[in-house]
Amino acid sequence: MIAEAEITRVKTGADIVAVAANYGLTLKLKGKDHFAKCPFHEDTDASLSVSQAKGVYHCFSCNAKGNVIQLVEKLAGVGFAEAFEIVAGKDLALARPISSPNHTQTINTPKAVQPTAPTEIPPDETEREGLLKDAFEHMAKAFDTVPDGRKYLALRGLVALDGIEVGYCTADFGAKLGDKIRASLQAVGFLNSRGTPHFADCVVFPLRNVEGKLRGFYGRRTKGSGKHFFLPGRRDGVFAVRRNNEKLIIAESVLDAVSLAEKGFADVLALHGVNGWTPAHREFVERFCYKHVYLVLDGDPAGHEAAGRLAMLLRDMGCKTHVVDLPEGEDPNSYLLHADAVKLEWLKNELDSLEAKPTGGLVLTEDAGHLVALGSTLKYTISGLNGQSLEHMTVTLRVQPVNDATRFFIDTVDLYSARHRDRVAEGATHELNVETLLIASNIKDLIRLLEEHRIASLSIKDKRPEMTEGERAEALASLRSPTLIDDLLRDFEACGAVGEEKGKLLGYVGTVSRLLDKPLGVLIISRSGAGKTTLQESFCDFVPPEDLKQYTRLSKQSLFYGDEDSLKHKVLAVEEEEGASDAKYSIRTLQSGQRLSTCTTRTDPKSGRMVSEEYIVEGPVFIAISTTNPDALDHETRNRFVVMTIDESKQQTADIHRNARQSYTLEGQERRSRRDSVLARCRNMQRLLRPVKVVNPYAPVLQYDTDRLQMRREFTKYMTLIQSIALLHQHQRPMKQASFGEYVEVVPSDIALANDLARTFFLNS
């Protein structure tokens, strides 16, 4: 623990301008402070203020701010302790900064604080990989000859290390290197300015990308407190042990992953710490097509929280995922270090859970609308199972002997409740005179069978079609096209949608907004025959069918009784506003809060008494409604939507006639035959979009009218429109990482397009 007085002394004694310059920032004196382009966002205006007098920095655009130690933390990608040592002068290397366009600037600081610029040009990626490869070969040899590394790992129970790449970095690494090699290793952050290795006295593991190229290192110090280190700068690559299994285990640290690999547990992948999921980890899982993923993180609150987040992310990626809950305070390494045969057997069973086969127990079938689980002794009839809430498994369960229908036990229970399971075991044992252990074993089997049945039912109902490699590549190329917006307009035209360019774009971007937490909603108003339904259908056609709910009429309660995720990330399109008149309340509630909940009553089949039951339907959902009524929807509902109108000009009518005439020609017939392939590609494009977060670094400077109260909602729609456009371009942007997960950033062209669309349509509101 560093004393507070020592931290204060270092902060006040450090020259923050010199430190910033050492990270390649071009600093220019304006008034009392220095200014530079901010390295934490795309900055063209030199928004970063660095105060030499106060020892602090502040970006007036993205609001990044802090003291000199915090600046080094962010620029070097290191923790507080390492940043403190750098600023205190204990490590003069000033670890290599993170990748940023602004880090290639020429240093321009006052002479008194001008740092010594390195004469060695930073190596390119190929040279960098070669340097790291040579360094690791040296460390791998040292691991075999210097006992310190093996002794440290042996204390952690890691002895065999079969198939594990590991090295050891001695404190004198580089002492005999030539000046040129030393300078190159300093440029990649492996050595500091004095030639001391960043990983001195560490066991070192390589981090590689999916192609096997060396991208960085992870080191664990064998002396002192056993601190861990990554190569300075942006963390790239992963530590993994592959044995070509379909099953992958993800652990929190490299040593945890090595411990699991040593015991022969499948393929293993190490996170970069509890919040260390990066795009490189996603790429690894996707490249090797893992079907079963097991999360074995630390048994503490942080591990539990991270496991929950990762489980949802992996399931969205199509992985069947299971969280292994280690005992409180244990991590995989400590658990395996002291594991006896019973503990190992428990872990093995947990890591086989997703592939478990029936063990001579129950067989699940359907009979007369009920699920029936049949065993050699007992028969279980199940009713009431649904996918409404995956946190519960509430069913009405009837247990009876296979050959005697006159004796039975019946109860309505939540099979995920231990108390309820005990109640079934106790009641069935008493009523049917069977062994309690048999009931308990059957119930465990039954839960697994019902989980599989429920997931299969949901998968069939909401199944996303598999894309071929060619289809995926074609859709990805379209998403990465620098003329993506113009290409989409050509696709609309190829599918027969004439004119209404801005309307088609707003509708399309609206459908993409369903992947945000708070999507847009559009209301299309025109006179009869003007083409409002055609416009709505044009952008709905580009939505994958599994994500589109298209209706001509909604009843008053119809939206309340779907499955919990039936509208999540979906498009809800109603062809005529009159058909949604009964459902105005649910539409308004859904558009505003992105969630519907209702409580109703039913008769308990066991007691005959009335009991309450809650139904929940979750968004986010994009809602599109078309109408001929200029006063459609009540004011409270209408002002939640972007109001779109149709071009009713003579020119638009002429264009529609021209297109209709062409449809009868040979060219028109050929275009119609190509329509299906265009739609297939456009739908695949949306299937490749993911619901990641969007960060708008320009938000603090965006202005909007404030003359009416309605502008509060209009401004939110405007900001959502910008987010949706950025989300559409996610495959053209670097995927960045923060504590809340992955995100993409808004760029000025997103705002420009949003402004163009807003000027056209937001005036209607």
Side-chain angles (χ1 to χ4, degrees):
M1 181 70 70
I2 306 171
E4 187 66 33
E6 182 67 6
I7 295 173
T8 302
R9 184 190 66 78
V10 168
K11 284 194 298 186
T12 55
D15 187 337
I16 192 171
V17 172
V19 170
N22 257 314
Y23 284 90
L25 270 65
T26 299
L27 294 149
K28 294 183 178 179
L29 188 62
K30 294 181 182 179
K32 296 181 179 179
D33 297 332
H34 292 79
F35 283 81
K37 291 181 181 179
C38 179
F40 309 126
H41 74 282
E42 296 292 334
D43 187 13
T44 58
D45 300 323
S47 308
L48 184 73
S49 165
V50 182
S51 172
Q52 197 166 27
K54 298 178 181 178
V56 297
Y57 70 94
H58 179 211
C59 176
F60 293 100
S61 180
C62 72
N63 205 35
K65 56 186 175 182
N67 57 48
V68 64
I69 299 175
Q70 292 166 324
L71 179 64
V72 172
E73 280 187 85
K74 294 192 71 171
L75 290 175
V78 298
F80 177 84
E82 291 91 337
F84 175 82
E85 290 182 0
I86 290 171
V87 178
K90 297 175 182 177
D91 184 351
L92 301 179
L94 288 179
R96 191 185 182 194
I98 58 176
S99 299
S100 166
N102 297 332
H103 287 143
T104 59
Q105 304 164 10
T106 304
I107 297 172
N108 180 22
T109 57
K111 195 168 185 180
V113 297
Q114 180 72 34
T116 304
T119 57
E120 182 70 20
I121 299 173
D124 61 24
E125 287 302 315
T126 302
E127 293 172 324
R128 184 176 186 274
E129 185 189 1
L131 287 166
L132 298 182
K133 184 178 178 182
D134 291 343
F136 186 70
E137 286 179 357
H138 180 92
M139 291 187 289
K141 292 178 182 177
F143 184 77
D144 291 332
T145 57
V146 180
D148 296 32
R150 287 191 177 275
K151 285 181 180 178
Y152 174 78
L153 293 181
L155 292 174
R156 309 297 294 264
L158 307 175
V159 179
L161 300 172
D162 292 335
I164 308 292
E165 293 185 288
V166 58
Y168 182 75
C169 184
T170 57
D172 62 352
F173 183 101
K176 297 180 181 179
L177 295 176
D179 291 342
K180 186 174 181 180
I181 296 296
R182 183 181 291 107
S184 296
L185 288 173
Q186 287 171 347
V188 299
F190 190 85
L191 299 178
N192 66 17
S193 59
R194 295 169 297 176
T196 303
H198 184 69
F199 297 97
D201 300 319
C202 287
V203 286
V204 178
F205 299 87
L207 304 180
R208 300 184 182 275
N209 64 14
V210 292
E211 296 170 348
K213 293 183 178 180
L214 193 56
R215 309 299 297 166
F217 297 121
Y218 167 84
R220 193 68 174 246
R221 185 148 290 167
T222 60
K223 300 176 182 179
S225 60
K227 291 195 299 184
H228 59 90
F229 301 88
F230 289 88
L231 197 65
R234 183 173 63 88
R235 294 176 189 174
D236 194 5
V238 297
F239 175 83
V241 180
R242 268 186 49 75
R243 291 167 179 151
N244 297 317
N245 204 308
E246 290 186 347
K247 181 165 63 177
L248 175 69
I249 301 172
I250 296 179
E252 198 170 303
S253 75
V254 170
L255 292 189
D256 289 336
V258 173
S259 300
L260 290 160
E262 271 224 329
K263 297 295 183 182
F265 288 121
D267 290 11
V268 291
L269 173 68
L271 300 175
H272 296 331
V274 68
N275 294 313
W277 173 267
T278 69
H281 291 88
R282 170 182 279 275
E283 186 179 13
F284 181 88
V285 174
E286 290 179 336
R287 171 65 67 89
F288 299 113
C289 304
Y290 287 103
K291 296 180 179 179
H292 300 148
V293 179
Y294 298 81
L295 297 172
V296 192
L297 307 190
D298 293 3
D300 56 24
H304 298 321
E305 183 180 345
R309 290 196 307 270
L310 269 181
M312 288 190 289
L313 185 152
L314 288 160
R315 285 164 187 157
D316 287 343
M317 291 169 59
C319 300
K320 198 172 182 181
T321 307
H322 176 63
V323 177
V324 178
D325 290 319
L326 291 178
E328 187 68 28
E330 295 273 25
D331 57 44
N333 177 255
S334 66
Y335 182 86
L336 291 170
L337 183 61
H338 303 106
D340 54 20
V342 174
K343 285 185 173 182
L344 285 175
E345 184 63 22
W346 173 83
L347 184 57
K348 182 179 184 301
N349 289 337
E350 286 288 305
L351 296 176
D352 285 338
S353 60
L354 292 178
E355 299 175 299
K357 304 293 189 297
T359 56
L362 305 179
V363 177
L364 191 67
T365 60
E366 293 192 43
D367 182 25
H370 296 290
L371 293 172
V372 176
L374 191 63
S376 58
T377 306
L378 297 172
K379 174 183 176 181
Y380 298 81
T381 304
I382 306 103
S383 58
L385 178 71
N386 61 57
Q388 180 65 25
S389 176
L390 297 182
E391 290 84 13
H392 302 282
M393 186 180 281
T394 302
V395 297
T396 299
L397 188 64
R398 180 188 179 99
V399 190
Q400 65 187 73
V402 170
N403 299 317
D404 186 358
T406 62
R407 292 189 300 137
F408 61 87
F409 170 80
I410 188 169
D411 197 357
T412 299
V413 294
D414 180 1
L415 291 176
Y416 283 170
S417 165
R419 181 169 55 84
H420 286 202
R421 294 195 299 270
D422 290 343
R423 191 172 79 201
V424 173
E426 182 180 344
T429 299
H430 176 72
E431 293 286 341
L432 307 177
N433 194 26
V434 293
E435 289 288 338
T436 303
L437 287 176
L438 173 64
I439 299 288
S441 176
N442 281 177
I443 290 176
K444 186 175 182 181
D445 225 10
L446 183 62
I447 291 172
R448 177 181 54 76
L449 290 170
L450 294 179
E451 284 180 332
E452 291 174 355
H453 175 82
R454 184 159 63 177
I455 291 172
S457 299
L458 291 172
S459 299
I460 291 170
K461 182 166 53 179
D462 204 26
K463 184 173 178 60
R464 305 185 76 82
E466 293 289 334
M467 281 183 274
T468 66
E469 286 299 320
E471 289 171 336
R472 179 181 289 272
E474 182 186 36
L476 193 58
S478 295
L479 287 169
R480 289 175 174 169
S481 169
T483 56
L484 173 58
I485 299 300
D486 292 335
D487 295 345
L488 283 171
L489 290 174
R490 282 191 287 270
D491 289 335
F492 274 113
E493 188 171 347
C495 292
V498 180
E500 303 288 358
E501 276 79 7
K502 292 183 181 179
K504 289 180 293 193
L505 280 181
L506 179 62
Y508 183 89
V509 170
T511 66
V512 171
S513 75
R514 73 187 189 276
L515 303 177
L516 298 171
D517 293 335
K518 295 283 187 180
L520 294 167
V522 299
L523 175 65
I524 308 173
I525 301 176
S526 76
R527 289 186 293 175
S528 179
K532 62 186 182 307
T533 303
T534 302
L535 174 59
Q536 181 172 300
E537 288 178 347
S538 70
F539 57 75
C540 285
D541 279 344
F542 283 21
V543 178
E546 65 271 16
D547 290 341
L548 179 63
K549 306 286 186 180
Q550 206 161 11
Y551 303 108
T552 55
R553 182 180 180 274
L554 292 171
S555 65
K556 188 174 183 179
Q557 296 291 322
S558 57
L559 295 178
F560 283 95
Y561 292 103
D563 289 335
E564 185 173 8
D565 293 333
S566 60
L567 292 178
K568 189 171 186 179
H569 299 313
K570 299 293 193 294
V571 170
L572 174 62
V574 184
E575 293 178 9
E576 291 290 342
E577 179 262 346
E578 291 84 349
S581 59
D582 291 338
K584 286 179 182 177
Y585 173 76
S586 55
I587 287 175
R588 181 170 71 241
T589 304
L590 193 59
Q591 181 65 19
S592 180
Q594 295 299 317
R595 184 177 189 268
L596 295 174
S597 63
T598 186
C599 188
T600 186
T601 57
R602 65 175 179 84
T603 303
D604 188 317
K606 180 186 177 186
S607 66
R609 298 174 60 184
M610 298 297 290
V611 295
S612 62
E613 195 166 74
E614 183 182 36
Y615 291 86
I616 296 173
V617 178
E618 297 281 4
V621 56
F622 167 74
I623 303 174
I625 302 174
S626 59
T627 183
T628 57
N629 180 8
D631 299 316
L633 303 180
D634 58 272
H635 174 73
E636 189 62 23
T637 304
R638 180 171 174 147
N639 65 20
R640 287 169 164 79
F641 289 81
V642 177
V643 178
M644 299 172 60
T645 55
I646 296 296
D647 182 356
E648 299 184 5
S649 67
K650 290 183 179 180
Q651 182 59 52
Q652 175 67 1
T653 303
D655 290 341
I656 291 172
H657 286 178
R658 174 179 50 79
N659 185 68
R661 288 192 295 269
Q662 288 179 343
S663 68
Y664 294 99
T665 66
L666 176 62
E667 180 185 350
Q669 295 295 326
E670 289 177 343
R671 185 179 67 182
R672 189 177 302 166
S673 69
R674 294 193 299 269
R675 182 177 186 272
D676 289 345
S677 63
V678 173
L679 286 179
R681 173 174 52 78
C682 291
R683 290 167 181 171
N684 286 335
M685 288 166 63
Q686 290 213 10
R687 289 183 179 113
L688 292 180
L689 296 175
R690 296 192 289 113
V692 298
K693 300 291 185 183
V694 178
V695 172
N696 188 345
Y698 303 96
V701 297
L702 293 176
Q703 302 297 319
Y704 206 85
D705 287 344
T706 57
D707 58 341
R708 286 181 292 143
L709 189 63
Q710 171 63 14
M711 291 306 177
R712 298 181 182 182
R713 277 186 176 149
E714 294 304 306
F715 181 65
T716 300
K717 296 174 195 174
Y718 170 63
M719 298 300 284
T720 302
L721 180 60
I722 295 171
Q723 282 187 299
S724 305
I725 295 168
L727 193 66
L728 173 60
H729 290 82
Q730 63 182 251
H731 289 284
Q732 299 184 22
R733 312 273 165 85
M735 194 65 69
K736 299 186 177 182
Q737 191 76 21
S739 59
F740 53 77
E742 294 178 303
Y743 71 94
V744 294
E745 283 191 345
V746 169
V747 300
S749 59
D750 302 331
I751 300 173
L753 178 56
N755 288 346
D756 188 29
L757 296 176
R759 290 190 191 102
T760 302
F761 295 108
F762 282 30
L763 296 177
N764 298 323
S765 301

